[in-house]
Amino acid sequence: MVAEGVISEEEAVERIEPMQLDSLLHPTLDPKAERTIVAKGLPASPGAAVGEIVFNPDEAEKLAAQGKTVILVRIETSPEDIHGMHAAAGILTTRGGMTSHAAVVARGMGRPCVSGAGTVHIDYDAQIMSSGGETLKKGDIITVDGTTGQVLKGEVAMIQPELTGDFATLMVWADKLRRMGVRANADTPRDAVQAREFGAEGIGLCRTEHMFFDHERILAVREMILAESEEGRKAALDKILPMQRDDFTDLFEIMKGLPVTIRLLDPPLHEFLPQHDEEIAEVAEALGTSAKKLNYRLGELKEFNPMLGHRGCRLAITYPEITEMQARAIFEAAADAGQKTGDPVDVEVMIPLIAAREEYEFLSEKIIAVADAVQGEKGVKLNYSIGTMIELPRACLRAHEIAISAEFFSFGTNDLTQTAYGLSRDDSASFLGDYIARGIFEVDPFVSIDTLGVGELMEIGIKRGRETRPDIKLGICGEHAGDPASIDFCEKLGLDYVSCSPFRLPVARLAAAQAALRGKKAKS
Amino acid sequence: MVAEGVISEEEAVERIEPMQLDSLLHPTLDPKAERTIVAKGLPASPGAAVGEIVFNPDEAEKLAAQGKTVILVRIETSPEDIHGMHAAAGILTTRGGMTSHAAVVARGMGRPCVSGAGTVHIDYDAQIMSSGGETLKKGDIITVDGTTGQVLKGEVAMIQPELTGDFATLMVWADKLRRMGVRANADTPRDAVQAREFGAEGIGLCRTEHMFFDHERILAVREMILAESEEGRKAALDKILPMQRDDFTDLFEIMKGLPVTIRLLDPPLHEFLPQHDEEIAEVAEALGTSAKKLNYRLGELKEFNPMLGHRGCRLAITYPEITEMQARAIFEAAADAGQKTGDPVDVEVMIPLIAAREEYEFLSEKIIAVADAVQGEKGVKLNYSIGTMIELPRACLRAHEIAISAEFFSFGTNDLTQTAYGLSRDDSASFLGDYIARGIFEVDPFVSIDTLGVGELMEIGIKRGRETRPDIKLGICGEHAGDPASIDFCEKLGLDYVSCSPFRLPVARLAAAQAALRGKKAKS
């Protein structure tokens, strides 16, 4: 219609519902490939995915963290399975329709999903699923086709989506119209490649902890955690340094001079230790220590409320040597990748969970010292900045002080929602249903930003941050950044960019363009 | 000096350091009583206490919740023991001086403490302590005398402090000078009697959950939690109702028409269930159910971050029948006690953990309906109001909406500190030391209100609450309310009252007077 002059590019961009793009963005099964159909359910969320069967969301998350691709198979899902659904490449349920929890959430996440495959019988205890005489066990490979509702044995060949033709044209129009930048959250080179394909203008969040879970390096990470002295920790960190540096070098080379925001280690240390007796014994042996000692350290690290515990910048303040190792890995990689590709690396070092200026400055000084050292050693001038996540109410209130030293703010609206409401996302499942049913919440505040509460904290943070530093760079990373309603709010706030998961980039690009158009209309 | 005309009453009030009063406010050992000295340590925090030996802070808390009086015996204490120190009547450590953690914290709390009793050997595994040939085990009664540093076997007769003479005179002067009201946090009739002795002008916080732990009623509470239907829950709640009503009747009679703020059930339900296999089996038998079923329910109720979980008003929204039972117990007791004593009961029903107006109104409507019913049944007019804790950042921001229906706000600055900072008090021990040592925090924000962050949230809440309801009653309950620096800040905020633990009342009365004087001077 644009070609025919019936509607303008602007009108075309306005007419498309961003969430509809989702179906265009997923791999589809090769129509020529052979298919062994195991079961059939509802085509609950489009796209196809292949991976190993896992029946437990915790395990899905763990395996995904180790770089495995998994299909989460459940009788049905509930909100406490969300982390496993996020971690899975695809989802299969045996119960529930097109509006079941699994179906709705999978569509929201852009995960292929087959729901209500009633012939499949799952035995959680035995860790097997059977259907039509076929029995598959945990770890077996299956393919789910959320476009047709088929469940297939083994790996079926797939066709990657091509973002060409009308889709590409629409994206070009959207990109011309939007004001905000669009970045991706990408932890691995694979994510980064995908991000670039989907039009990312940079990486807005690289979570470094995911790199720690890798099979080869987790041992050194555990050695570090169990070390009894700073020297012991440093020795273990020295082993991690080259691996972490290689990760960053790859990322920087792929991003070719586009900005890359790297967040320093965030989760509490107990997340890196084994939890079950068997695994504890194994790990103790591998580390040359005793299960008793490992259990003791586990006991020491145990927390009542890990979300509010010894994590983020607090960890870095207790163990500055972790930050120093990470900063060195980042800056050495930036120097190397810049020299190799000829594109100077634009790296932004991001400190998580800041509540007070004093925390920020304690750490930023250490990071600057490492940058100075690396610049001296390598004889290069690095292009870097240091900034912080704004994810705690107190950080919003004290933003004018934090901005004295911080060069950018990236809003972490997931944690900001958790703290503003005093509400753990992982635990909210048990009552969020009642809240929605009784009209107490109109929408789940973890899906769309609560503009009245969390949003006002963001406004305060922006206003005060800019009072000190008028040109402070402002972004948002996390799941809200892929939600059209939240993107519209970010446009109103005047953020510089949104950073979402790679698959959500087209949605974000379109939503950002629509938000900009709405903003222009509201002004005129 | 006042009598001699050397200084004025005001000057006298200004000259005394509030924390010094602490030593005057504790029981002392009867000098005529016989003493069997087991050990001697440092007189780390004045006053004497008698109770049964407990070596574990969790257990101290649990036994105290069951109404037992305990002495916490530790090699040394650390911040993660705080809940146990709060729960204990007295504290004994075998290591550490007058500025050790145990000593400093005990003085802050007003708990008698003997520290560094070096001859005492503690065996945590065997749950025994020995000193000078004497061995005492968990559950044995000891007396600690924090004024002399003596540790004594058995119960030694004590003399209760008499708040007479110069002390009483000083309090009279302070009461004339202060603007804010002073209330006590009191959960039991015993607390209430103490509160009145120490000059409480009301109860600012009665935590109803403590009533649920009582040996006789915990069974009915567990029945309620395990019930599979609303009917089952109601049947169990019907058993709890008369007991809860009796608690309130006693409180109201003691308080004789002074205001009593009763907070509805706050903690998550799993806190009421047994945690260890043995106890689970026992409880299952008592309830006529299986350990398997009990374990299943425990699994359902398990939370990643209980502090941010299914508690407070969220619990009440899921199970309104609990709120209705509590409201009925409160109103029936108010009607009965009012008729019996002739003093009309002034009761304030307080809803915890409100983040949104919709939560508040859903519950306040149910409470009003119960009040109407009880007034009809009893043929009396009740003098009650309904209000809320303000303990979440979002509640401060949306205070103008919440105040449409809420008649009072009581700031819960402990939870507000936890959420504003994203910092769990129970987990902060592992790094708070580093924070203080490195100058990142000047003071522990759980000891004195962080005026810059938490304080601004309070200011916002007050300003907005008053915009809607200019005469809204404003108070603070919790530990900050007994801290002189925080009391000074509350005076600046213009709160109507502070509510602290009974033993802190004289400190609070004096600090409130000093704060009022400072305020007057600042204005002139």
Side-chain angles (χ1 to χ4, degrees), chain A residues 58 83 302-310 313-314 316-320 353 355-356 358-359 362 392-395 397-398 401 418-424 426-427 430-431 434-435 438-441 450 452-454 456-457 460 464, chain B residues 58 83 302-310 313-314 316-320 353 355-356 358-359 362 392-395 397-398 401 418-424 426-427 430-431 434-435 438-441 450 452-454 456-457 460 464:
Chain A
D58 293 342
H83 60 297
K302 199 173 170 229
E303 296 189 304
F304 296 102
N305 297 288
M307 151 72 204
L308 307 176
H310 196 187
C313 67
R314 296 164 194 165
I317 288 168
T318 308
Y319 306 116
L353 214 69
E358 292 78 7
E359 296 173 312
F362 178 85
L392 297 174
R394 197 180 189 280
L397 297 170
R398 307 312 293 170
E401 289 181 346
Q418 298 199 82
T419 46
Y421 273 102
L423 175 58
S424 158
D426 292 333
D427 297 312
S430 52
F431 54 90
D434 295 326
Y435 267 54
R438 292 182 176 171
I440 293 168
F441 283 174
D450 155 49
L452 299 180
V454 175
E456 187 182 2
L457 286 170
I460 292 171
R464 294 185 183 181
Chain B
D58 294 341
H83 60 297
K302 201 176 168 223
E303 295 189 304
F304 296 102
N305 296 289
M307 152 72 205
L308 307 176
H310 196 186
C313 67
R314 298 164 192 165
I317 287 169
T318 308
Y319 306 115
L353 214 69
E358 292 79 6
E359 296 173 310
F362 178 86
L392 297 173
R394 196 180 191 279
L397 296 170
R398 306 312 294 170
E401 289 181 347
Q418 298 199 84
T419 47
Y421 273 101
L423 176 58
S424 157
D426 291 332
D427 298 311
S430 51
F431 53 91
D434 295 325
Y435 267 54
R438 292 180 177 172
I440 292 169
F441 282 174
D450 156 48
L452 298 180
V454 174
E456 188 182 1
L457 286 170
I460 292 171
R464 296 186 182 179

Side-chain angles (χ1 to χ4, degrees), chain A residues 51-258:
Chain A
E52 54 182 82
I53 295 172
V54 54
F55 296 100
N56 176 304
D58 293 342
E59 211 169 342
E61 194 177 37
K62 204 175 118 191
L63 291 170
Q66 292 168 8
K68 300 217 169 129
T69 310
V70 299
I71 305 292
L72 181 64
V73 179
R74 300 283 292 167
I75 296 172
E76 56 193 343
T77 63
S78 70
E80 54 250 323
D81 301 335
I82 297 252
H83 60 297
M85 299 173 76
H86 263 293
I91 295 149
L92 166 63
T93 67
T94 61
R95 212 185 271 162
M98 292 296 286
T99 56
S100 66
H101 179 266
V104 172
V105 172
R107 286 196 295 274
M109 289 178 180
R111 287 289 174 291
C113 174
V114 172
S115 73
T119 61
V120 176
H121 177 78
I122 297 176
D123 183 338
Y124 284 132
D125 286 337
Q127 301 264 295
I128 53 172
M129 58 175 269
S130 45
S131 176
E134 186 87 54
T135 295
L136 296 168
K137 59 179 195 307
K138 192 190 116 183
D140 287 348
I141 301 293
I142 55 167
T143 300
V144 292
D145 183 359
T147 311
T148 63
Q150 290 176 350
V151 183
L152 308 135
K153 199 177 159 179
E155 179 169 356
V156 179
M158 282 196 274
I159 301 173
Q160 293 303 313
E162 283 194 51
L163 304 181
T164 52
D166 289 349
F167 179 86
T169 309
L170 179 70
M171 284 295 113
V172 170
W173 296 339
D175 289 347
K176 278 196 286 188
L177 293 167
R178 67 183 157 85
R179 183 193 59 78
M180 287 191 291
V182 174
R183 300 196 194 179
N185 303 339
D187 303 340
T188 63
R190 195 181 62 178
D191 292 345
V193 169
Q194 195 123 62
R196 294 220 53 185
E197 276 171 18
F198 285 146
E201 296 165 330
I203 292 178
L205 176 64
C206 170
R207 284 165 293 217
T208 54
E209 52 269 20
H210 287 211
M211 300 172 174
F212 280 36
F213 280 109
D214 182 273
H215 198 71
E216 278 177 55
R217 47 191 90 169
I218 184 81
L219 207 66
V221 172
R222 288 169 174 169
E223 232 179 278
M224 187 263 293
I225 296 170
L226 292 170
E228 274 160 5
S229 64
E230 198 183 315
E231 287 67 45
R233 272 194 301 280
K234 279 189 174 163
L237 287 166
D238 282 345
K239 295 185 199 172
I240 304 171
L241 173 64
M243 302 188 263
Q244 182 117 81
R245 185 177 51 221
D246 290 350
D247 294 328
F248 295 138
T249 308
D250 289 349
L251 269 187
F252 293 146
E253 288 180 11
I254 293 164
M255 296 311 291
K256 290 194 201 305
L258 292 175

Side-chain angles (χ1 to χ4, degrees), chain B residues 51 58 75 172 184 197 227 276 313-314 357 404 439 452 483 486 488 490 497 502 515:
Chain B
D58 294 341
I75 297 171
V172 169
E197 275 170 18
H276 300 291
C313 67
R314 298 164 192 165
R357 171 191 175 182
I404 294 171
L452 298 180
D483 166 64
S486 306
D488 193 61
C490 292
Y497 68 87

Side-chain angles (χ1 to χ4, degrees), chain B residues 216-284:
Chain B
E216 278 177 54
R217 48 190 91 168
I218 184 81
L219 208 65
V221 172
R222 289 169 173 169
E223 233 180 274
M224 187 264 292
I225 296 171
L226 293 170
E228 274 160 6
S229 63
E230 198 182 318
E231 287 66 46
R233 272 193 301 279
K234 281 189 174 163
L237 287 165
D238 282 345
K239 294 185 198 168
I240 304 170
L241 173 64
M243 299 187 265
Q244 182 117 81
R245 185 178 51 221
D246 289 350
D247 294 329
F248 295 139
T249 308
D250 288 350
L251 270 187
F252 294 147
E253 289 180 9
I254 293 164
M255 295 312 291
K256 288 194 203 305
L258 292 174
V260 177
T261 311
I262 294 175
R263 184 176 72 185
L264 300 177
L265 192 66
D266 187 44
L269 294 182
H270 51 76
E271 287 198 10
F272 298 100
L273 293 183
Q275 303 297 332
H276 300 291
D277 285 350
E278 254 176 70
E279 217 191 334
I280 289 171
E282 241 174 72
V283 169

Side-chain angles (χ1 to χ4, degrees), chain A residues 188-473:
Chain A
T188 63
R190 195 181 62 178
D191 292 345
V193 169
Q194 195 123 62
R196 294 220 53 185
E197 276 171 18
F198 285 146
E201 296 165 330
I203 292 178
L205 176 64
C206 170
R207 284 165 293 217
T208 54
E209 52 269 20
H210 287 211
M211 300 172 174
F212 280 36
F213 280 109
D214 182 273
H215 198 71
E216 278 177 55
R217 47 191 90 169
I218 184 81
L219 207 66
V221 172
R222 288 169 174 169
E223 232 179 278
M224 187 263 293
I225 296 170
L226 292 170
E228 274 160 5
S229 64
E230 198 183 315
E231 287 67 45
R233 272 194 301 280
K234 279 189 174 163
L237 287 166
D238 282 345
K239 295 185 199 172
I240 304 171
L241 173 64
M243 302 188 263
Q244 182 117 81
R245 185 177 51 221
D246 290 350
D247 294 328
F248 295 138
T249 308
D250 289 349
L251 269 187
F252 293 146
E253 288 180 11
I254 293 164
M255 296 311 291
K256 290 194 201 305
L258 292 175
V260 177
T261 311
I262 294 175
R263 184 178 71 185
L264 300 177
L265 192 67
D266 187 43
L269 294 182
H270 51 77
E271 287 198 9
F272 299 100
L273 293 182
Q275 302 297 332
H276 300 292
D277 285 350
E278 254 175 69
E279 219 192 332
I280 289 170
E282 241 174 70
V283 170
E285 206 192 316
L287 289 172
T289 182
S290 67
K292 192 178 165 184
K293 204 185 136 188
L294 195 53
N295 269 314
Y296 181 79
R297 184 73 174 131
L298 267 168
E300 275 186 336
L301 291 173
K302 199 173 170 229
E303 296 189 304
F304 296 102
N305 297 288
M307 151 72 204
L308 307 176
H310 196 187
R311 50 171 286 233
C313 67
R314 296 164 194 165
L315 210 53
I317 288 168
T318 308
Y319 306 116
E321 53 275 14
I322 300 180
T323 298
E324 285 162 347
M325 181 281 284
Q326 292 203 294
R328 178 162 281 277
I330 292 167
F331 293 131
E332 288 183 356
D336 295 352
Q339 282 178 323
K340 198 166 152 194
T341 62
D343 298 309
V345 171
D346 178 3
V347 61
E348 302 172 335
V349 181
M350 182 155 75
I351 305 174
L353 214 69
I354 288 291
R357 170 191 176 182
E358 292 78 7
E359 296 173 312
Y360 181 84
E361 292 180 354
F362 178 85
L363 292 169
S364 66
E365 281 165 22
K366 297 208 179 290
I367 297 166
I368 291 169
V370 174
D372 288 345
V374 173
Q375 290 184 124
E377 291 160 24
K378 299 258 180 190
V380 293
K381 178 92 190 77
L382 293 166
N383 174 25
Y384 75 95
S385 59
I386 309 176
T388 178
M389 298 278 292
I390 298 285
E391 52 189 334
L392 297 174
R394 197 180 189 280
C396 297
L397 297 170
R398 307 312 293 170
H400 49 296
E401 289 181 346
I402 296 168
I404 294 172
S405 308
E407 295 169 273
F408 64 87
F409 286 171
S410 179
F411 286 93
T413 47
N414 185 32
D415 276 10
L416 196 56
T417 302
Q418 298 199 82
T419 46
Y421 273 102
L423 175 58
S424 158
R425 187 175 62 164
D426 292 333
D427 297 312
S428 61
S430 52
F431 54 90
L432 221 50
D434 295 326
Y435 267 54
I436 307 271
R438 292 182 176 171
I440 293 168
F441 283 174
E442 274 180 46
V443 290
D444 179 342
F446 294 109
V447 170
S448 285
I449 291 174
D450 155 49
T451 56
L452 299 180
V454 175
E456 187 182 2
L457 286 170
M458 294 174 75
E459 280 174 56
I460 292 171
I462 292 167
K463 185 168 167 285
R464 294 185 183 181
R466 283 188 176 143
E467 274 167 23
T468 304
R469 191 182 285 266
D471 63 341
I472 190 162
K473 198 188 285 184

